[in-house]
């Protein structure tokens, strides 16, 4: 099990940066980077801090199927996941009419995009 990959997945899914986690936990961003990249294995206490910062139960890091299945079926890059998370965050404030307009605009951009 790659705990760092799991942490990164949940962090990106929630639209948070490593700096955001740093502020919430007091752990250095460079340490978080080392954890996410598999260079360091965090202690259980440190994992609990990270879980709290992500508003997740500690056990969620050990439920391999949940996030792993979700990320594997989506096959999204980190940038795509960040982008979609931001869209989800901002679109929650839109009314139905504005959401439809936004979707129509995205379709138009996609149709005219150079591939």
């Amino acid at each position: 099990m790659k705990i760092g990959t799991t942490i990164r997945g949940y962090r990106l899914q929630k639209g948070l940066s490593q700096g955001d986690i740093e502020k919430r936990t007091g752990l250095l961003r460079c340490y978080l980077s080392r954890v996410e990249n598999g260079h360091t294995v965090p202690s259980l206490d440190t994992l609990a801090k990270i879980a709290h910062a992500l508003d997740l139960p500690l056990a969620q890091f050990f439920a391999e199927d949940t996030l792993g299945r979700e990320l594997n079926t989506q096959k999204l890059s980190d940038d795509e996941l960040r982008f979609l998370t931001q869209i989800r965050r901002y679109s929650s404030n839109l009314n139905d009419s504005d959401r439809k307009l936004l979707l129509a605009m995205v379709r138009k951009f996609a149709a005219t995009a150079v591939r």
Side-chain angles (χ1 to χ4, degrees):
M1 172 182 208
K2 296 183 179 181
I3 194 72
T5 304
T6 303
I7 291 170
R8 175 184 285 130
Y10 282 119
R11 179 178 60 75
L12 293 174
Q13 190 176 59
K14 292 184 175 279
L16 298 171
S17 69
Q18 289 176 343
D20 294 329
I21 303 301
E22 177 181 40
K23 289 174 192 167
R24 294 178 180 196
T25 63
L27 300 169
L28 296 176
R29 193 201 62 74
C30 59
Y31 174 77
L32 294 166
S33 175
R34 292 182 50 76
V35 169
E36 287 186 5
N37 290 303
H39 301 294
T40 300
V41 178
S43 69
L44 199 51
D45 287 338
T46 300
L47 262 181
K49 287 180 185 179
I50 295 170
H52 182 71
L54 293 170
D55 295 321
L56 296 171
L58 181 58
Q60 193 72 35
F61 288 135
F62 303 101
E64 291 182 53
D65 294 347
T66 309
L67 182 66
R69 187 172 50 237
E70 207 171 293
L71 291 178
N72 286 336
T73 58
Q74 291 179 354
K75 302 280 189 211
L76 298 175
S77 70
D78 287 353
D79 287 339
E80 290 169 324
L81 193 54
R82 258 188 231 104
F83 175 76
L84 292 174
T85 301
Q86 288 176 339
I87 293 293
R88 184 178 67 195
R89 182 184 322 144
Y90 296 123
S91 68
S92 66
N93 297 329
L94 300 176
N95 61 38
D96 194 46
S97 172
D98 289 341
R99 281 194 188 121
K100 289 177 182 174
L101 177 62
L102 179 61
L103 188 56
M105 290 170 57
V106 170
R107 281 189 193 118
K108 182 145 181 108
F109 285 138
T112 60
V114 177
R115 295 179 191 232

